[in-house]
Amino acid sequence: MSHAARRILLLALLVLPGLPAGASAQAPADTLQRPFGLRLGFPDRIPDLRLPGVLLAPGRGTLGAERWVGDFSRQLEATLSRDRTTRQRQRLLTRLYAADTLVADAVGVDPTLRPVNRGLFGLSSSVADVTLDGSLTLEISTDRFENLKCTPFELQNPLSGCRPKWGAPRLDNILLLRLQAVIGQRLFVDVDLETNRDYANSNTLRAYYQGLQDEFLQRIDVGTVRFRPPASRFLTAGIPSNNFGAAVTVEHGPLEVQALAATQKGSVLAERNYRIGEATVEPQDRLIRDLDFETGRFYWVVDPRSLPGHPRVDPLTLDGLVLPPGVRPREVRIYRYRAALGNVGANPNLGGITALARNTGGITEQQVGPLKWELLAPGEQYWLDPSGLWFVLTARLDPGDLLAVSYVTENDTRVGTYPATDDPAASDSLLLVASPNQGPAVGSFHHAMRNVYRVAGQDLERASLEVKVLLNRSERPVGDVATWLAKFGLAIPTDQAVFDIDNRLFPRVRDPGAGEAIRDQFVVFPNLE
């Protein structure tokens, strides 16, 4: 199009909107028409269209337009590819090592990035959750041996100590390491290492994969493994526990298959002795220290310090204990809060009772919650003593679990709100009786029994049990008492050297329903301390 034609076309486009003829021909007589228009000035000559300078550069004159566009597209794609690679690397490094204060709207930061919790080594807790605790003790020691009664002959011996010198220093180390890690919510690492243990195989070094409940492959263990056979004294008597190897567990419907390949470190059972009589039994000797009491199973419903004669309280003879009506429980309910392990799987407390648990019986007041508590079933998950003052769980509490009670006394006084169903609007409360890692300063510490010791499983032949109490390998204390067994009230009245099986071995024959709920045998001391 020529310059003159372009000027005429532009002038027509600008003048036509300003013509009022069509509007004035139809306007009513009582209206005033004010035509409007727009005037623009143009230079006498519009600049000619010019080619870009890049096309006129030396060496480009001979290139066609299609070839130049192709070169430009390739250069642009190469630049964008390098930029994408750089941004992806920046995004990966930022997710792994960026600080927690990173904000999404910062300049130069990808908006998809969000602050995440960082654990050990700066990794996100959703990738690897690692808990590490331990200590390393270094000891440097030396000694100096001196002989104060040297003879002329010993003076000639450099090892006699007549010329004492300090020996070369010795460097000893004691490593204590506790490590638990969850990687990708499927791989677990468990390390419990202590170098000064007498039995090295008691250390735990293992890694295992835990599958979901409906998966075929349930578990793979590598490291410290344990074979879990069905309950039978003929299978478990000689199977060592802490082996080193690999174990696999698969499940298909009701069928569960377990395979183990491991080596045993430590003592090996070379021979077995059996006693043939009314029943075939295998005698076994077990040494239990005073600090090896049964933990996580026996608890008081009430604070035992409120009972007459504390600490001389016998848990097995409380039926005839005279208590005020406002102290003795008539109806008891027990609640358990299960701690989630690494946030893996479903919440074990779903569908529980929402309640606040507290205990004000110590120097430091305790309060947890509100939490979802599981109401335990009597006879299946615990056994309550007929006195209503204490109970025993059928399975031991996990280290992070909580335990609470609520009961109604004989005069209808309630300790806690005694809830049976979940009602978040009711503000239910419970009495806390067990919490992890607590000392004597809190009230829940005194609800746990520490005078009960496990001796065997349900397959124990009661008549074959013999118990001895030793102090420095001696059974006889100083004084008029013949044995320590009688000193602690564990012997029969007619013979101070014979353990009272009928009254001190729990569960007793006369304990209603205890034998069906509790599948272990315990020695119960008649004193709480």
Side-chain angles (χ1 to χ4, degrees):
M1 183 182 294
S2 64
H3 293 289
R6 289 202 297 268
R7 294 177 63 182
I8 294 173
L9 177 60
L10 291 175
L11 182 60
L13 294 176
L14 294 174
V15 171
L16 288 177
L19 294 178
S24 61
Q26 300 177 6
D30 57 350
T31 60
L32 178 62
Q33 298 295 328
R34 293 185 178 181
F36 60 91
L38 180 64
R39 290 185 178 183
L40 296 177
F42 297 94
D44 295 337
R45 180 178 176 80
I46 297 178
D48 297 332
L49 296 177
R50 294 178 299 174
L51 292 175
V54 67
L55 295 178
L56 301 177
R60 292 290 186 179
T62 59
L63 293 178
E66 296 180 357
R67 184 176 180 183
W68 179 85
V69 171
D71 292 344
F72 177 78
S73 300
R74 284 190 293 270
Q75 294 177 6
L76 179 61
E77 182 62 29
T79 303
L80 294 177
S81 178
R82 288 194 300 269
D83 182 67
R84 283 194 299 267
T85 303
T86 303
R87 290 177 63 84
Q88 290 176 359
R89 179 176 178 82
Q90 178 186 5
R91 184 181 297 108
L92 176 60
L93 295 178
T94 304
R95 287 187 180 275
L96 292 178
Y97 302 107
D100 293 344
T101 57
L102 180 65
V103 293
D105 57 351
V107 178
V109 177
D110 193 334
T112 60
L113 299 178
R114 292 293 184 269
V116 294
N117 296 326
R118 302 293 171 182
L120 192 63
F121 310 121
L123 298 177
S124 170
S125 59
S126 62
V127 178
D129 190 4
V130 182
T131 301
L132 179 63
D133 185 19
S135 63
L136 176 62
T137 304
L138 299 178
E139 296 179 357
I140 300 177
S141 61
T142 184
D143 52 16
R144 182 175 181 269
F145 173 70
E146 181 177 1
N147 189 355
L148 300 180
K149 297 182 179 180
C150 293
T151 62
F153 176 78
E154 290 176 340
L155 288 173
Q156 307 299 323
N157 185 3
L159 302 179
S160 62
C162 296
R163 296 183 176 86
K165 296 181 180 180
W166 290 101
R170 298 186 301 273
L171 180 63
D172 298 325
N173 63 84
I174 300 176
L175 175 62
L176 178 63
L177 178 62
R178 304 285 190 275
L179 186 145
Q180 291 183 341
V182 181
I183 303 174
Q185 299 184 355
R186 286 295 181 272
L187 181 62
F188 298 80
V189 179
D190 185 11
V191 177
D192 182 5
L193 177 63
E194 189 172 349
T195 56
N196 61 345
R197 286 175 176 166
D198 295 332
Y199 186 43
N201 202 36
S202 61
N203 295 321
T204 300
L205 300 170
R206 65 171 179 171
Y208 63 93
Y209 166 83
Q210 182 68 55
L212 297 178
Q213 185 177 4
D214 56 346
E215 289 183 348
F216 175 77
L217 183 60
Q218 285 292 300
R219 183 159 175 163
I220 301 178
D221 291 71
V222 178
T224 302
V225 295
R226 176 178 298 178
F227 181 63
R228 299 182 298 274
S232 171
R233 62 189 177 93
F234 297 103
L235 293 178
T236 61
I239 295 179
S241 57
N242 281 26
N243 302 308
F244 192 84
V248 179
T249 303
V250 297
E251 182 177 353
H252 182 69
L255 177 63
E256 179 177 331
V257 179
Q258 181 183 173
L260 183 144
T263 59
Q264 179 186 359
K265 295 181 179 180
S267 59
V268 179
L269 188 62
E271 61 181 17
R272 299 177 182 176
N273 298 321
Y274 293 91
R275 183 179 298 170
I276 308 298
E278 295 181 358
T280 302
V281 297
E282 181 183 4
Q284 296 182 3
D285 295 334
R286 183 180 180 187
L287 181 63
I288 305 176
R289 302 174 298 174
D290 57 345
L291 52 86
D292 294 333
F293 53 84
E294 184 73 5
T295 60
R297 295 190 67 177
F298 289 80
Y299 292 94
W300 290 96
V301 175
V302 302
D303 192 334
R305 295 173 295 179
S306 63
L307 300 179
H310 179 271
R312 298 182 180 275
V313 178
D314 186 0
L316 301 182
T317 59
L318 295 178
D319 293 339
L321 185 65
V322 179
L323 294 175
V327 175
R328 183 182 292 276
R330 187 185 69 225
E331 298 177 2
V332 180
R333 288 175 179 166
I334 302 173
Y335 308 83
R336 176 179 181 177
Y337 174 78
R338 298 179 183 270
L341 178 60
N343 296 327
V344 178
N347 185 355
N349 304 294
L350 288 178
I353 299 174
T354 305
L356 175 70
R358 61 167 62 95
N359 192 313
T360 60
I363 300 175
T364 304
E365 181 178 352
Q366 293 178 280
Q367 180 172 316
V368 294
L371 300 173
K372 289 282 190 179
W373 298 83
E374 175 192 1
L375 179 60
L376 302 185
E380 298 179 5
Q381 296 174 298
Y382 70 92
W383 180 84
L384 181 65
D385 186 68
S387 66
L389 297 174
W390 63 275
F391 63 93
V392 54
L393 300 175
T394 57
R396 183 179 299 179
L397 278 181
D398 292 335
D401 288 1
L402 303 175
L403 201 65
V405 300
S406 182
Y407 57 92
V408 181
T409 62
E410 292 180 345
N411 64 351
D412 294 331
T413 301
R414 290 196 175 191
V415 176
T417 57
Y418 199 65
T421 58
D422 186 26
D423 186 4
S427 300
D428 290 319
S429 62
L430 308 173
L431 174 63
L432 186 66
V433 299
S435 56
N437 303 324
Q438 299 294 340
V442 298
S444 62
F445 177 85
H446 303 279
H447 283 262
M449 290 189 186
R450 296 174 176 84
N451 59 322
V452 182
Y453 295 82
R454 182 184 181 276
V455 295
Q458 194 179 23
D459 56 352
L460 172 67
E461 184 68 27
R462 295 175 64 92
S464 65
L465 178 64
E466 297 179 1
V467 177
K468 298 179 181 179
V469 179
L470 306 177
L471 177 61
N472 293 331
R473 300 183 181 181
S474 173
E475 298 183 48
R476 298 182 179 274
V478 178
D480 55 352
V481 182
T483 61
W484 286 108
L485 201 66
K487 182 77 172 179
F488 287 108
L490 300 176
I492 61 176
T494 58
D495 192 342
Q496 297 185 359
V498 178
F499 176 68
D500 190 357
I501 297 177
D502 295 333
N503 297 312
R504 305 315 314 172
L505 185 64
F506 178 82
R508 299 168 298 181
V509 178
R510 59 182 180 271
D511 292 326
E516 290 76 12
I518 306 168
R519 303 188 179 277
D520 295 295
Q521 306 287 332
F522 303 92
V523 172
V524 182
F525 281 70
N527 196 315
L528 299 185
E529 294 183 359

